[in-house]
Each structure stands twice: as C-alpha cells, then as structure tokens.
Amino acid sequence: MLGSILAEKRNENNKFFLFVVDNYFKGKELAKRIPVKPEDELMFIDVDPYEPTTEQIDSIRDTILKKKGLPAGVIGIGGGSIMDIAKAVSLMFTNEGSSTLYQGLNLIKKRGIYHLGVPTISGTGAECSMTAVLTGPVKKLGLKCDWTVFDQVVLDPDLLATVPQDWWFYTGMDTYIHCIESETGRFKNAFSHAYAEESLKLCKDVFINEGCGKNAENDEKLMIASLMGGLSLTYSEVGVCHALSYGLSKILGTRHCYANCLAFNHLEDYYGDSVQEFKQMLKKHNIALPQNLSKDWTDKQITDMAEVAYNLPHMWNHAIGENWKEKITIDLIKGLYERL
Ligand code: NAD
Ligand code: ZN
C-alpha cells in the first residue's frame, strides 16, 4: 500500500525518497516490506538512548543534500522519535541554516517537502501533531507550525505487536496524560474535549477496563487513542506534568513518556483522581516506578530542571491561569521535582 501511495509523489524534486526508519526494524520482516527503490535513500536510525537533536536533523539534511540533492519526500517509520525526525527533516530541507533557529512557534519560513509517517509505537501523538520536538544546545522545543504536520499518515496497528511491555505502558500513558492535561486548563474547548473524551475511553479499555492489556484489539484502540489525544492537545495545551517532564528530559536525558510517568505519579494536587487512576494502571500492569530519585540529584540539577520547566509559559498559562506567575515560582517547581 505504501508503494502505491508514494508512486504518485516520486516525480517531485530529484525523484527519490528518503526513508528514516527505527533501527529496531533493521533486518526484520518490516524492513523487507518497505518499498525502497534503488534511487532511494534508506537510513536506519538508533533512537536510543537520546531523543532527536537539532544537530542530528541538520546533519541528515546536509548529508542528503550533498549526496543527492532535494528528495521528493521523507518517509518516517518508527515511534515518536522517528516521527519527529521525519517532520523536522522535511522542514529543514527547505529552510536554511540550523534547525536551532526555528525552535518555537511559526518561525519556519517555507513549507517543507512532502512527508509521510508510519507510526510503530502509539502514544505520543507525534503522528498527528503540528510540532517536531527537538533537543538543542539551549532548549528542548519543537519546530511548530502548520507545515510540520505530516501530509499523510498510514496507521497499521499490526506494527505495534512487537512493542515491549514497558514502552507500551509509558508511551500509552503519554496519551492518557495528554488528555488529562488538555482537559484541565483554560485552553480546553469543545473540539479538544471531544477528542480527549473519546481518547480517554479507548485508553481505559486498553489499560484498566475488563479485557485490558496488550493484544491486537487493544493495539488498534491505542493507535486511535494516540491520534485523538494528539489532536486534543494540539487544540488545547499540555500542563504541569509536561513542563516537569521537559525539565527531566533536557537536564537528565530522561525519555519523554517515562519522564511523564515519573512526574504524573506525584501530581495528585493538580490532577486528583486521574493520578489515582494512573496508579491503578501501574499496579494492574506490574509497572514499578523508581522512588526517591531526587535524593541523587544535585541542587544545581534541580534548579536547572526547574528553570527549563518555568520557561514553558504556555503550559503554566493553560494549567494554572493567566496570573500563573503569582502562583508558580522556581522554588515551587523545585519542590515538585523533590517529590520524585
Ligand atoms: P521512541 O520513538 O523513542 O521509541 C521508543 C523505543 O521503542 C525505542 O527503543 C524504539 O526502537 C522502540 N520501538 C518503536 N517501535 C517499535 C516496535 N514496533 N517494536 C519494538 N520496538 C519498537 O518512542 P516514543 O515514546 O514513541 O517517542 C518519544 C519521542 O517522541 C520523544 O523524542 C518525544 O520528545 C517525542 N514526542 C513528540 C511529540 C510531538 O507532538 N511531536 C509528543 C510527545 C513526544
Ligand atoms: Zn507527551
């Protein structure tokens, strides 16, 4: 199917595709099914242990341009990391200079090249969101604009079959947290609510209701939950948990979905019953999150994380209100990290 979708796009630019594929699939059955032609470029990318960086995106763009010029399109096959790499590279093929120049809202000047995503692990919503999150030398922040969104997405829940249990849980919880945060803040609206409500129903089927657990039927539900959760947050906003999670990722390199779980577990005063429900889901799936992590962190690390989190005003504005600076201070955020 992918082959026929791509056939009509092949004649653009220098008439070849760049495939960026999660290294997990190298040598696996899926890799043999990718419709790569001799003129195409196939890159297997190891997404562990680091999340996508600005340097990595610039390097992929420069290497391909030097070798073959401008591709007809970029195809991403993998999880949130690969989705973001494909989205960012597509934009950087047509926007000059380093991707660090474009971290933020609507800083991209030109539409990118055609890009298509095939998610292989569900939860981040990166397959439908209008941001490509990158870690740069100064900040962890997305290239966010209307052109970031994939031109096409192919959803095949069978691809989730091999996702390990822990990643299945953490990444699935990212969707759950997207919906809870989207729902509990001032940017909530009828559109974001409709998607969050449906996504949460699906998440509960996958993670807590009778018949929950990892199986083919639930993989299909999770794939749709991820998409709907991503749409919900795109038109609303994320909140306190994601702000803390960004600090953990930027300073300690903790992976996004796992960082969210670590933080959400201690945010009962912000997200009440949902945190209780989250704890039930942890128990149900035998997931043990580490405790007392902060005892091994230096005060400088905690301060640095608090500063990263504080500098995400859109999240605090959503979660706490326009006057959030009267309530949220660096010291308060440090206190939140110290709970972990
Ligand atoms: P990931 O892409 O980092 O992959 C996690 C692990 O799962 C990796 O080891 C990968 O090799 C493996 N994997 C992927 N598919 C697999 C499969 N089918 N079978 C077996 N293993 C598989 O994970 P993720 O949690 O989806 O993505 C995290 C990234 O997403 C972070 O970089 C984060 O910043 C980003 N993110 C982006 C958005 C957005 O809107 N753009 C939102 C949230 C998170
Ligand atoms: Zn998230």
Side-chain angles (χ1 to χ4, degrees):
M1 182 173 83
L2 188 55
S4 58
I5 295 174
L6 296 180
E8 56 187 80
K9 312 280 178 198
R10 277 201 170 268
N11 282 331
E12 298 292 316
N13 304 323
N14 283 3
K15 303 186 181 175
F16 72 98
F17 282 112
L18 167 63
F19 289 86
V20 287
V21 181
D22 191 311
N23 201 44
Y24 168 81
F25 294 107
K26 198 170 184 176
K28 304 258 183 355
E29 188 51 38
L30 173 77
K32 294 181 204 140
R33 284 164 44 206
I34 302 173
V36 187
K37 299 233 172 175
E39 63 272 27
D40 294 338
E41 280 291 317
L42 173 59
M43 276 185 171
F44 286 102
I45 298 179
D46 192 349
V47 301
D48 296 314
Y50 300 111
E51 294 188 337
T53 64
T54 49
E55 199 185 345
Q56 181 182 26
I57 300 303
D58 298 348
S59 155
I60 295 173
R61 184 238 353 236
D62 295 344
T63 308
I64 297 294
L65 283 180
K66 200 165 160 202
K67 192 167 169 193
K68 285 191 169 161
L70 195 61
V74 185
I75 318 305
I77 304 176
S81 301
I82 293 286
M83 296 294 101
D84 282 354
I85 291 173
K87 286 153 79 179
V89 169
S90 149
L91 293 169
M92 292 314 301
F93 269 122
T94 53
N95 287 272
E96 282 170 21
S98 166
S99 48
T100 54
L101 299 171
Y102 305 103
Q103 283 181 284
L105 180 63
N106 291 333
L107 299 177
I108 289 284
K109 296 191 170 57
K110 293 184 199 151
R111 170 190 288 282
I113 60 171
Y114 169 82
H115 49 308
L116 177 147
V118 184
T120 63
I121 178 168
S122 282
T124 64
E127 66 278 18
C128 67
S129 75
M130 60 186 289
T131 184
V133 183
L134 300 180
T135 302
V138 185
K139 44 196 166 185
K140 175 177 173 178
L141 195 61
L143 311 184
K144 186 170 185 183
C145 70
D146 288 335
W147 294 319
T148 311
V149 181
F150 279 115
D151 294 292
Q152 287 179 292
V153 177
V154 175
L155 297 180
D156 177 357
D158 290 348
L159 299 178
L160 306 185
T162 51
V163 171
Q165 178 88 2
D166 50 352
W167 278 109
W168 166 78
F169 185 84
Y170 301 138
T171 307
M173 283 302 112
D174 195 25
T175 287
Y176 179 80
I177 297 167
H178 288 161
C179 295
I180 300 300
E181 293 194 304
S182 166
E183 288 283 82
T184 45
R186 56 193 290 261
F187 298 130
K188 174 185 176 183
N189 56 72
F191 186 96
S192 70
H193 170 63
Y195 280 109
E197 195 172 48
E198 279 309 309
S199 176
L200 280 171
K201 270 191 211 157
L202 293 167
C203 283
K204 286 176 191 185
D205 280 353
V206 176
F207 292 107
I208 201 157
N209 289 346
E210 208 181 313
C212 70
K214 190 163 183 343
N215 57 47
E217 192 187 330
N218 285 340
D219 279 348
E220 192 171 355
K221 289 185 177 180
L222 187 57
M223 196 161 245
I224 301 306
S226 172
L227 192 80
M228 289 184 156
L231 287 170
S232 179
L233 86 86
T234 297
Y235 292 94
S236 173
E237 195 37 274
V238 285
V240 181
C241 182
H242 271 71
L244 297 182
S245 161
Y246 271 44
L248 283 163
S249 297
K250 175 74 186 110
I251 304 303
L252 302 179
T254 314
R255 305 297 296 255
H256 177 81
C257 302
Y258 182 58
N260 276 337
C261 290
L262 294 178
F264 198 69
N265 202 23
H266 296 280
L267 291 177
E268 248 152 353
D269 38 352
Y270 294 93
Y271 299 114
D273 292 348
S274 307
V275 177
Q276 282 306 325
E277 191 167 60
F278 170 77
K279 288 181 198 264
Q280 284 170 28
M281 295 191 272
L282 281 172
K283 206 163 159 198
K284 192 139 207 149
H285 301 290
N286 294 320
I287 306 282
L289 293 177
Q291 304 298 317
N292 302 321
L293 286 170
S294 62
K295 74 171 175 3
D296 296 326
W297 299 338
T298 64
D299 187 58
K300 168 139 177 41
Q301 283 176 314
I302 297 176
T303 307
D304 288 350
M305 286 194 276
E307 272 165 8
V308 172
Y310 187 83
N311 284 312
L312 293 163
H314 47 293
M315 298 184 192
W316 298 107
N317 184 3
H318 169 64
I320 309 294
E322 237 173 339
N323 61 345
W324 65 272
K325 284 194 175 169
E326 291 167 20
K327 298 179 185 158
I328 302 295
T329 60
I330 295 282
D331 278 344
L332 182 140
I333 302 176
K334 283 177 73 175
L336 296 179
Y337 280 116
E338 279 156 3
R339 292 177 182 184
L340 267 61

